[in-house]
Amino acid sequence: MHALGLCTGASTITLVDAEKSGKAIEVNGIHSYAHEGNPKQVVKDLLGQFDLEKVNSIAVTGRRFKEFLNLTNISEPLAVEYALEHINNNGKPYNAVISAGGETFIVYKLDDSGKIGKVFTGNKCASGTGEFFLQQTRRMDVSLDEAIRYAQNEEPHYVSGRCSVFCKSDCTHATNKGVPKGKVVAGLCQMMASKVLELLKDTLKENIMIVGGVTRNKVMIEYLNCEITNLTVPKEATYFEALGAALWAIENKTKPIDDLSRLFSKHTTQFDYHQPLHDFEDKVTFTQMKRGTAKDGDRCILGLDVGSTTTKLVLLRESDLKILASEYLRTNGDPVGASRKCYKTVFNQLNGTKVIIRGLGVTGSGRKIAGLFALSDGVINEIIAHATAALHFDPGVDTIFEIGGQDAKYTYITNGVASDYAMNEACSAGTGSFLEESAKETLGIEMEDIADWAMKGNRPPNFNDQCAAFISSDIKN
């Protein structure tokens, strides 16, 4: 009996190839790939590796995408029960199984017979999930393995766990103030562990199994080991639900699939739509600063913006306000290092021309540490910086909207003075980093290509605007 089990996760598609001969069940292969916004192609490629006429049975479990496959699908709890029974040969009593995935944490509380009696799941907030952890390590420009290595044996820096946006802000502000990345990552791991423990509040914290891709986070597992007696991470942890689907398929009759062209079912959309962006191109005007060529003796001012995501530097000539040199790069959680790279690039752009630097103005979320490093008194907040620049281009302007990497701001100007402002104090939905991370992680689109793709869209879906986590779910759906 040859069976395949598929698990369509929020971020990855996992397939287990299993075979039963007599009473013995062997796992012939395990395949797991990030779908990057194209789960159909990944599923098609995976199944295309097999001669489906020789496959007796296929079952699928996982998230909503499974409903769009012309395959027999089963619930995740059922898949977990099958996998648990298969690997628990010695009959060890477990109180619960934790499934820690890319987008959700779930606790399956077991009864005395080893079956799932209750299910506890976290709220829609992305804070503490596997994808969220990877987002933050990417913002710090470290790989998963590097992040775990840095965090081991480090004192954790506290980060908020009640909201993904607050947590992201805590991480950004910490690195911008010079807190070592290892401490920040350790704080993230501790916060993730606390999210799991919250779900276990009504469960005896002993004899617990944890599965899912997040089990690769050894530091989080260490924190859980401090609170849970006899925590087990099985070798099948990263493909647990797919294994359960394959085991179920071995014992049950499923829909035959011998032609990949009939693999996907037709479905209707759940979304309303906006008007396409390209209908509004004539409503937007772009204005640019004039650029000039540096000459020996030019009197200049440096302007530095150390943002949560990127750092920018311009060299401005005082006499005609022309930009003589500039740089734009990633902050990567290192405001001082990013500033130094900017200084070096601008110096190289001058190519030996000797100018007079009369001062340095610094703004952005990392302005304090960058200003201290440069010994500059010219440290100002972003509201004043935005107002000053906007008035330069249009003396009559009264409203400014600024979309940054970490937040979005509104400023109201009265008689050339910033008189009122507001900013998103909570949700990151609509900020630059959220747009970039969603495009990259869910759709496989690089930051530089976002605009071109967006302008091609004829039916932009109207996503939920209440919470960044809700939008992430909408995008995946």
Side-chain angles (χ1 to χ4, degrees), residues 362-363 379-391 400 409 411 413 416-419 421:
V362 188
T363 191
V379 179
I380 61 172
N381 64 47
E382 294 114 304
I383 302 299
I384 300 302
H386 293 150
T388 304
L391 288 162
I400 304 169
K409 303 183 189 71
T411 304
I413 297 177
V417 177
S419 57
Y421 81 96

Side-chain angles (χ1 to χ4, degrees), residues 11 13 39 48 89 117 137 172 176 178 184 256 280-281 285 383 396 400 415:
S11 307
I13 304 293
N89 295 322
T137 56
T172 300
N176 279 354
V184 178
F280 300 91
E281 285 189 87
T285 301
I383 302 299
I400 304 169
N415 297 324

Side-chain angles (χ1 to χ4, degrees), residues 65-181:
F65 176 69
K66 71 177 187 289
E67 299 168 12
F68 303 141
L69 295 171
N70 282 322
L71 297 173
T72 303
N73 66 68
I74 64 172
S75 68
E76 288 176 280
L78 183 57
V80 168
E81 285 186 348
Y82 266 79
L84 178 62
E85 182 180 1
H86 175 72
I87 70 170
N88 191 21
N89 295 322
N90 56 9
K92 178 181 176 180
Y94 286 99
N95 290 313
V97 175
I98 303 165
S99 178
E103 197 175 76
T104 54
F105 284 178
I106 301 172
V107 168
Y108 300 107
K109 190 173 182 178
L110 305 176
D111 59 23
D112 293 340
S113 65
K115 300 296 184 181
I116 295 173
K118 293 182 179 179
V119 179
F120 302 99
T121 183
N123 58 30
K124 292 281 284 184
C125 185
S127 176
T129 60
E131 279 295 307
F132 179 77
F133 180 78
L134 291 176
Q135 285 179 3
Q136 306 321 304
T137 56
R138 289 191 193 106
R139 286 165 67 85
M140 290 182 252
D141 195 31
V142 294
S143 68
L144 175 62
D145 291 339
E146 288 174 328
I148 299 302
R149 189 169 67 251
Y150 293 163
Q152 287 178 324
N153 303 316
E154 276 282 13
E155 186 70 24
H157 175 82
Y158 173 79
V159 294
S160 173
R162 64 192 177 101
C163 171
S164 61
V165 182
F166 296 160
C167 185
K168 187 193 296 185
S169 295
D170 286 346
C171 295
T172 300
H173 294 156
T175 54
N176 279 354
K177 291 177 182 177
V179 177
K181 294 179 181 179

Side-chain angles (χ1 to χ4, degrees), residues 429-449:
T431 61
S433 62
F434 173 76
L435 174 62
E436 180 180 356
E437 289 162 358
S438 298
K440 174 63 177 176
E441 291 157 16
T442 310
L443 304 173
I445 296 174
E446 298 293 340
M447 180 269 292
E448 296 84 356
D449 300 324

Side-chain angles (χ1 to χ4, degrees), residues 200-374:
L200 288 171
K201 61 183 179 181
D202 295 325
T203 304
L204 186 64
K205 295 181 180 64
E206 65 178 26
N207 297 329
I208 304 286
M209 179 180 290
I210 183 167
V211 301
V214 176
T215 55
R216 291 180 294 172
N217 186 332
K218 297 178 181 178
V219 177
M220 187 198 83
I221 297 298
E222 288 174 4
Y223 284 123
L224 288 176
N225 270 317
C226 295
E227 302 292 334
I228 299 173
T229 303
N230 296 326
L231 179 67
T232 301
V233 182
K235 71 177 189 301
E236 299 88 355
T238 58
Y239 56 92
F240 200 76
E241 284 89 346
L243 173 63
L247 294 169
W248 185 92
I250 285 175
E251 296 184 5
N252 295 272
K253 187 177 180 180
T254 63
K255 294 179 183 178
I257 288 288
D258 52 10
D259 185 352
L260 290 179
S261 66
R262 297 198 297 269
L263 180 60
F264 305 106
S265 60
K266 294 181 179 179
H267 61 279
T268 57
T269 179
Q270 69 188 65
F271 298 107
D272 297 324
Y273 292 91
H274 294 292
Q275 291 178 261
L277 288 175
H278 53 66
D279 285 357
F280 300 91
E281 285 189 87
D282 61 345
K283 305 291 185 183
V284 180
T285 301
F286 289 95
T287 305
Q288 290 186 323
M289 286 285 283
K290 293 181 179 179
R291 300 187 73 95
T293 303
K295 301 182 184 65
D296 286 341
D298 279 344
R299 293 165 65 83
C300 302
I301 295 287
L302 282 169
L304 177 67
D305 174 16
V306 185
S308 61
T309 306
T310 57
T311 296
K312 289 75 69 176
L313 180 70
V314 296
L315 178 68
L316 203 65
R317 184 161 54 202
E318 284 189 291
S319 61
D320 57 5
L321 297 183
K322 288 185 176 179
I323 294 176
L324 305 181
S326 64
E327 177 61 314
Y328 184 109
L329 47 74
R330 298 275 181 177
T331 304
N332 286 333
D334 184 5
V336 171
S339 302
R340 294 183 70 174
K341 289 178 182 178
C342 284
Y343 299 142
K344 184 176 181 180
T345 300
V346 167
F347 177 80
N348 291 336
Q349 288 177 10
L350 289 172
N351 196 27
T353 304
K354 296 179 180 179
V355 299
I356 300 167
I357 306 293
R358 290 212 316 108
L360 167 67
V362 188
T363 191
S365 64
R367 61 187 179 275
K368 292 183 179 179
I369 189 171
L372 180 64
F373 171 76

